[in-house]
Amino acid sequence: DGGITQSPKYLFRKEGQNVTLSCEQNLNHDAMYWYRQDPGQGLRLIYYSQIVNDFQKGDIAEGYSVSREKKESFPLTVTSAQKNPTAFYLCASSTRQSSNTEAFFGQGTRLTVV
Amino acid sequence: SQKIEQNSEALNIQEGKTATLTCNYTNYSPAYLQWYRQDPGRGPVFLLLIRENEKEKRKERLKVTFDTTLKQSLFHITASQPADSATYLCALDRQGGGNKLTFGTGTQLKVEL
């Protein structure tokens, strides 16, 4: 089945630690995105990538880093510089050929700082 | 930047009735608008897309309208069922093109027996 797989589903981070969230897709999509969701707030864009080896900052990129070495993979690292990392993280992908296509989302990773 | 307003209060309706959710936006007019469904602890799932030159779009029990003059989209679920209970998100494309989306906070719908 085609889709997006995020792992792990739950992640606990200690203060000062970097953690990496995995996102893999087999939809052959060029574009991939990372969003953060907090209670009472809409999804906020962290980083996005339109093509392999290229990515751009979104609205709240501070304290995060990404890489796009393969078309299928777009991992997100939450660094110790992110002061409030506890949130629900969502990865998405879409085609790039048209500007009005749907986004496919993974099932999310819930990150908690302990 | 674009601001999207969705009713933050939960909408409770009786099974069989029509649910109507509202999405209002400010600033620039988007080229298209999308609606997603999100269940607790899960990622959003795409439902419908409507373009700026379309006034209405239907898919089974779902209907979306897009009024660029009022800067508003309405999302209707007819003959609602308890299984329709979820949070519904409105999303708009961003100025400048591309597939980046701006999402509203969502409206929680509860369909009661």
Side-chain angles (χ1 to χ4, degrees):
Chain A
D1 286 337
I4 297 185
T5 302
Q6 289 187 242
S7 62
K9 188 172 175 64
Y10 299 96
L11 186 58
F12 297 89
R13 190 195 95 167
K14 293 182 179 179
E15 295 277 355
Q17 226 178 19
N18 291 357
V19 290
T20 297
L21 283 60
S22 170
C23 178
E24 304 277 332
Q25 55 101 356
N26 60 5
L27 299 167
N28 200 34
H29 286 164
D30 286 307
M32 297 187 74
Y33 316 83
W34 274 104
Y35 291 91
R36 169 182 172 141
Q37 187 173 35
D38 295 280
Q41 296 195 43
L43 278 67
R44 291 184 289 167
L45 184 64
I46 304 173
Y47 266 97
Y48 63 98
S49 168
Q50 302 280 28
I51 199 168
V52 174
N53 291 324
D54 185 57
F55 49 83
Q56 305 294 329
K57 293 182 179 180
D59 304 318
I60 54 166
E62 185 174 352
Y64 300 98
S65 66
V66 293
S67 63
R68 186 82 188 278
E69 298 176 1
K70 297 187 300 181
K71 187 175 184 178
E72 302 78 20
S73 180
F74 192 41
L76 174 75
T77 297
V78 184
T79 74
S80 56
Q82 170 50 237
K83 298 307 178 188
N84 186 22
T86 294
F88 189 48
Y89 290 87
L90 288 160
C91 179
S93 72
S94 70
T95 63
R96 195 166 63 95
Q97 284 80 4
S98 172
S99 63
N100 54 4
T101 58
E102 65 187 274
F104 291 79
F105 283 85
Q107 291 306 298
T109 293
R110 187 166 299 279
L111 173 64
T112 304
V113 174
V114 296
Chain B
S1 60
Q2 185 71 282
K3 184 178 178 183
I4 302 173
E5 293 179 354
Q6 291 187 258
N7 195 340
S8 59
E9 291 183 15
L11 176 64
N12 297 324
I13 64 166
Q14 204 171 17
E15 183 180 19
K17 302 291 185 184
T18 296
T20 299
L21 285 66
T22 304
C23 174
N24 295 300
Y25 59 92
T26 59
N27 301 334
Y28 70 90
S29 291
Y32 60 92
L33 185 149
Q34 300 183 19
W35 283 90
Y36 289 80
R37 168 184 173 142
Q38 186 175 25
D39 291 285
R42 302 181 73 86
V45 175
F46 172 81
L47 296 175
L48 278 170
L49 179 152
I50 186 166
R51 296 178 177 80
E52 60 180 337
N53 60 349
E54 298 175 320
K55 291 195 179 297
E56 181 180 298
K57 202 103 175 254
R58 292 175 184 260
K59 179 182 176 182
E60 298 173 351
R61 294 185 296 112
L62 308 180
K63 185 178 84 171
V64 173
T65 63
F66 196 4
D67 189 325
T68 55
T69 301
L70 293 178
K71 295 190 174 182
Q72 180 181 81
S73 174
L74 298 179
F75 177 79
H76 307 272
I77 304 176
T78 58
S80 59
Q81 305 164 1
D84 295 327
S85 299
T87 296
Y88 292 86
L89 307 174
C90 164
L92 281 64
D93 68 301
R94 297 193 177 202
Q95 204 168 26
N99 291 329
K100 300 186 300 294
L101 298 171
T102 298
F103 282 85
T105 56
T107 298
Q108 186 178 13
L109 172 66
K110 295 180 182 177
V111 181
E112 300 163 340
L113 294 169

